Amino acid sequence: MAAAVCAFILTFTTLGPTVVSGVLSTPTNVRLTSYNMNLMLTWDPPDRPASGLVYTTQSKSSVSDYKVGCVNISNLECDLSHLNNSIFEYGKYTGRVRAQSGTESSAWEESNQITLDKDTIIGSPNVSLVSNGAAIEVSIKDPVFAISALRKVYHSANYNITYWKDGQREKARSNSNIQQNRVVLNDLDPLTKYCVQVQIITERTPNLSKPSAAVCESTTTEEEVPWVAAVGTFCTVAMAVALVVVAVVYRKHMSQFLCPKDTLPLHLKEYLLAPPNSSMYLVMRNSHPPDEIYHQVSIIADGRPTTGGSKENLQQTA
Ligand SMILES: *[C@@H]1O[C@H](CO)[C@@H](O)[C@H](O)[C@H]1NC(C)=O
Ligand SMILES: *[C@@H]1O[C@H](CO)[C@@H](O)[C@H](O)[C@H]1NC(C)=O
Ligand SMILES: *[C@@H]1O[C@H](CO)[C@@H](O)[C@H](O)[C@H]1NC(C)=O
Ligand SMILES: *[C@@H]1O[C@H](CO)[C@@H](O)[C@H](O)[C@H]1NC(C)=O
Ligand SMILES: *[C@@H]1O[C@H](CO)[C@@H](O)[C@H](O)[C@H]1NC(C)=O
């Protein structure tokens, strides 16, 4: 009786993971993990499991005290992100769990600490393909997160798209650094089956996401799909018809424009055909190197003869 009382007192005063025999032992292998930004506490039953065991969990962030998680549950895991304790994308969290049986409780067993955005495992994206001639359009859906969304948590997340001819996985090609959800692969052979797999690369987690399941689709011929050709033909015919209609309706205007019937006014014609009579024009037309005429002039004055000259041409052109 004294031993039982002693064990009872010890149970309620000891907080360490080692619990005195005779009372409930703690759950084992307690770990906190995250998948798509959830916060999952998982554990194994105590080494000496009692019958009718239930568990109670708590969690805390690096800046808060423990808050209640799941209470009196019989399964071996608790999704702490589904509780009303709001969790934050970039927070650091720790969980703990204890076993209970009737009025007896084990000590708390604490988990590892995780940083949500760094340690979460990103699930696979969902990929669908549509072939369009010799190209394949890849549509990518991000995995759904327990809190927030992929592009809110990881601003520069990229897709790594790997594609290969069916049966030639070893010759796969990859395009990374892709941020759009829709990508067209157009360096493909026509009439060939290709398979595509996508992984997400983020700047804050060292590992890639889980790869999507490989999905396959066949390209068709190089030609445009029939409706594109049909629309093209329709447009060409419509334009030709429109041109003919315009030509018929405006044929009078157009013939007048191209071969005008109206003649120039008479005075304008005369003016244009009349020989120019501008004196400047005449001078320019008649200009040729002027001959220099040099006359011998004798001037006799006072009986003494003097010789000199005058350039007549200067007088002429002045
Ligand atoms: C959990 O179980 C204990 C012991 O059986 C009981 O006292 C307590 O009220 C239960 N809590 C809830 C929330 O059910
Ligand atoms: C969370 O809070 C809402 C109201 O704020 C309440 O109705 C709901 O039961 C709570 N859920 C849990 C798991 O505590
Ligand atoms: C990343 O990959 C390594 C090696 O595969 C593994 O040990 C580690 O747990 C992974 N980390 C995360 C956060 O998934
Ligand atoms: C992927 O998307 C398709 C169509 O939207 C849906 O039917 C399928 O269940 C999704 N797969 C996964 C793993 O989410
Ligand atoms: C993209 O995926 C392929 C195939 O898994 C891999 O070989 C390649 O290294 C990845 N690229 C990047 C940038 O991670």
Side-chain angles (χ1 to χ4, degrees), residues 12-304:
F12 285 91
T13 53
T14 310
L15 279 173
T18 47
V19 173
V20 176
S21 63
V23 298
L24 283 180
S25 53
T26 58
T28 54
N29 196 19
V30 182
R31 62 244 176 232
L32 189 61
T33 55
S34 176
Y35 181 78
N36 283 343
M37 297 301 273
N38 73 1
L39 193 57
M40 189 68 83
L41 189 67
T42 322
W43 58 90
D44 293 335
D47 290 334
R48 295 179 304 280
S51 59
L53 273 187
V54 290
Y55 303 94
T56 293
T57 69
Q58 295 185 341
S59 65
K60 69 164 184 176
S61 79
S62 54
V63 294
S64 75
D65 273 340
Y66 275 111
K67 291 178 186 163
V68 177
C70 305
V71 176
N72 293 354
I73 58 166
S74 53
N75 44 346
L76 298 172
E77 62 174 24
C78 169
D79 186 349
L80 296 160
S81 53
H82 282 175
L83 300 168
N84 278 356
N85 308 342
S86 59
I87 62 170
F88 174 59
E89 299 92 301
Y90 310 113
K92 288 184 172 163
Y93 294 95
T94 314
R96 64 180 183 179
V97 58
R98 70 177 178 188
Q100 283 169 263
S101 178
T103 53
E104 278 187 73
S105 292
S106 77
W108 290 105
E109 179 73 3
E110 200 165 74
S111 76
N112 56 307
Q113 184 187 59
I114 67 169
T115 305
L116 210 51
D117 66 317
K118 264 195 191 162
D119 294 322
T120 197
I121 293 165
I122 300 173
S124 57
N126 190 348
V127 175
S128 54
L129 307 179
V130 176
S131 75
N132 183 354
I136 290 179
E137 186 183 301
V138 182
S139 300
I140 304 166
K141 267 198 223 147
D142 292 336
V144 177
F145 279 4
I147 59 157
S148 194
L150 178 80
R151 299 224 162 256
K152 284 189 191 154
V153 183
Y154 307 104
H155 298 288
S156 56
N158 288 333
Y159 302 114
N160 182 13
I161 301 181
T162 304
Y163 56 102
W164 62 93
K165 281 184 191 172
D166 192 23
Q168 300 181 24
R169 180 84 207 234
E170 66 285 353
K171 291 190 196 159
R173 283 178 279 174
S174 288
N175 288 351
S176 58
N177 272 335
I178 291 169
Q179 298 211 324
Q180 308 91 298
N181 293 88
R182 275 166 189 272
V183 180
V184 175
L185 304 175
N186 47 22
D187 54 344
L188 308 179
D189 294 341
L191 298 169
T192 307
K193 189 175 188 183
Y194 283 90
C195 298
V196 178
Q197 196 166 40
V198 179
Q199 272 184 295
I200 298 166
I201 305 170
T202 65
E203 72 279 16
R204 280 202 294 278
T205 49
N207 296 359
L208 299 180
S209 75
K210 300 245 179 233
S212 68
V215 283
C216 304
E217 183 64 70
S218 295
T219 54
T220 57
T221 54
E222 199 85 63
E223 286 160 27
E224 292 165 313
V225 284
W227 68 265
V228 172
V231 167
T233 310
F234 177 79
C235 288
T236 312
V237 169
M239 274 167 70
V241 168
L243 275 176
V244 167
V245 167
V246 166
V248 167
V249 169
Y250 293 99
R251 69 180 187 285
K252 212 174 151 194
H253 292 86
M254 280 166 80
S255 65
Q256 276 174 7
F257 175 74
L258 293 173
C259 329
K261 259 183 262 155
D262 297 324
T263 48
L264 284 170
L266 200 59
H267 65 276
L268 202 58
K269 226 174 186 175
E270 280 172 352
Y271 171 79
L272 288 173
L273 295 176
N277 53 5
S278 137
S279 57
M280 193 65 172
Y281 172 77
L282 287 174
V283 166
M284 281 163 70
R285 197 180 58 175
N286 295 337
S287 73
H288 45 79
D291 301 326
E292 294 215 330
I293 304 163
Y294 195 79
H295 292 282
Q296 190 75 36
V297 175
S298 305
I299 298 166
I300 299 154
D302 302 344
R304 286 177 293 163

